[in-house]
Amino acid sequence: MAVKVIVWFDWDQNNSSETHKLSLKFSEKVLTQLKDVGQQLALSFNNDGTALAAGGEDGSVRVFKWPSMEIILNESNAHSTVKDLHFSSDGKLLVSLGSGGPCRVWDVSSSIVLASLSNENREIFSSCRFSQINDGTQVLYIAAMADKGGCILTWNTQTWERMSSKYIIRDAISAFNVSADGKFLACGTPSGDIVIVNSTKMQIQTMIKRAHLGIVTALAFSPDSRALASVSMDSSARITIIEEKKKNVAAYFLKIEGILK
């Protein structure tokens, strides 16, 4: 989301009636450290809410302690322009994705670039997310556009080598996120479709065609990874409940009896 001015909002919660109402109201508080710094295209908090990263249209990447706003990383020429940012689960690493250049991984405490991940197959990177796979190993996912369509690339966060590239859909991926438990990847498309991918098999589990009338701009999982919120340029918001696929009981018994392998 493009932000020309960083505006602070307060929650306005009314619990006096039977129906709980939650709304936003402008706050008088001003983030002076992000005033007059140009258009900000990406904002991200770390998991425990103690750091805020901001990426600008001018290619700058800044990380602040929150809420003191003490700056701990300030790189003015990280990219030509910043498209996306995401912290690792422990908050020690930050990945920044730029337009027309490599995806960079930063050590937050030292401000050192640990890795530059290139689009070696001429993919167009669109979003980046740290996550973990079944054995607890941390990986980095990058949603990208390749010749065939939208795909998800996976990197090893120890060696920074590309582990896999999986084609997902014909359309581009306009929004991308990963569930807290790492089991699901969510993709939104310019056509308004929502695709939920099983991260273990890297196969589509659920696809909702025309979930929105316009381009899907953002996706967010609930903390328990069982619901997905999506918003669109058509000013709509939607909650999708995620249901795990039931196992084929008949096939299971055939396997344990040795009939199927």
Side-chain angles (χ1 to χ4, degrees):
M1 179 179 66
V3 183
K4 288 188 177 181
V5 179
I6 305 299
V7 180
W8 182 285
F9 290 92
D10 291 323
W11 288 114
D12 186 12
Q13 189 169 1
N14 182 5
N15 294 327
S16 59
S17 61
E18 292 184 2
T19 302
H20 297 293
K21 294 183 178 180
L22 189 64
S23 59
L24 292 175
K25 63 180 181 180
F26 281 104
S27 172
E28 295 181 358
K29 186 170 182 178
V30 177
L31 299 178
T32 56
Q33 295 85 346
L34 286 173
K35 188 177 180 181
D36 300 323
V37 295
Q39 190 174 34
Q40 300 300 293
L41 302 180
L43 296 172
S44 180
F45 280 97
N46 64 356
N47 278 353
D48 61 8
T50 59
L52 169 67
E57 186 181 33
D58 61 358
S60 63
V61 172
R62 299 177 178 90
V63 179
F64 304 89
K65 289 184 179 180
W66 184 265
S68 69
M69 291 300 286
E70 175 189 345
I71 195 158
I72 52 179
L73 188 154
N74 188 5
E75 178 56 55
S76 59
N77 296 304
H79 302 279
S80 58
T81 187
V82 178
K83 296 167 66 176
D84 200 12
L85 297 165
H86 194 247
F87 284 97
S88 60
S89 58
D90 59 9
K92 294 180 179 180
L93 305 179
L94 175 75
V95 58
S96 63
L97 192 152
S99 177
C103 184
R104 288 185 171 147
V105 181
W106 306 80
D107 180 286
V108 175
S109 61
S110 67
S111 300
I112 293 174
V113 176
L114 299 178
S116 291
L117 311 177
S118 62
N119 52 343
E120 56 193 48
N121 295 324
R122 296 185 179 180
E123 305 98 340
I124 300 173
F125 295 167
S126 58
S127 299
C128 50
R129 290 292 183 273
F130 283 106
S131 186
Q132 61 181 17
I133 52 180
N134 286 340
D135 61 0
T137 302
Q138 184 170 251
V139 296
L140 174 63
Y141 294 117
I142 295 181
M145 185 66 180
D147 291 339
K148 291 183 179 180
C151 62
I152 296 174
L153 317 175
T154 308
W155 264 271
N156 183 305
T157 58
Q158 298 298 319
T159 63
W160 299 112
E161 294 180 352
R162 187 186 290 211
M163 297 168 60
S164 65
S165 175
K166 178 66 176 179
Y167 164 75
I168 302 296
I169 46 176
R170 288 185 180 180
D171 211 345
I173 298 175
S174 58
F176 178 68
N177 218 328
V178 183
S179 62
D181 60 12
K183 291 183 178 180
F184 304 108
L185 313 178
C187 304
T189 75
S191 302
D193 302 338
I194 294 174
V195 180
I196 298 172
V197 178
N198 181 304
S199 65
T200 302
K201 299 178 180 179
M202 274 295 176
Q203 295 179 348
I204 294 176
Q205 175 165 306
T206 304
M207 185 168 186
I208 305 170
K209 299 287 288 183
R210 305 290 288 176
H212 296 275
L213 298 179
I215 180 174
V216 179
T217 53
L219 298 163
F221 283 92
S222 61
D224 64 2
S225 304
R226 292 296 169 263
L228 177 72
S230 57
V231 294
S232 168
M233 285 285 285
D234 65 6
S235 300
S236 66
R238 174 186 178 127
I239 301 295
T240 301
I241 303 301
I242 300 169
E243 297 180 0
E244 295 208 38
K245 287 189 174 180
K246 296 180 180 179
K247 294 181 179 179
N248 188 319
V249 178
Y252 170 76
F253 281 108
L254 289 173
K255 284 183 178 180
I256 63 173
E257 292 295 330
I259 301 173
L260 287 180
K261 296 182 180 179

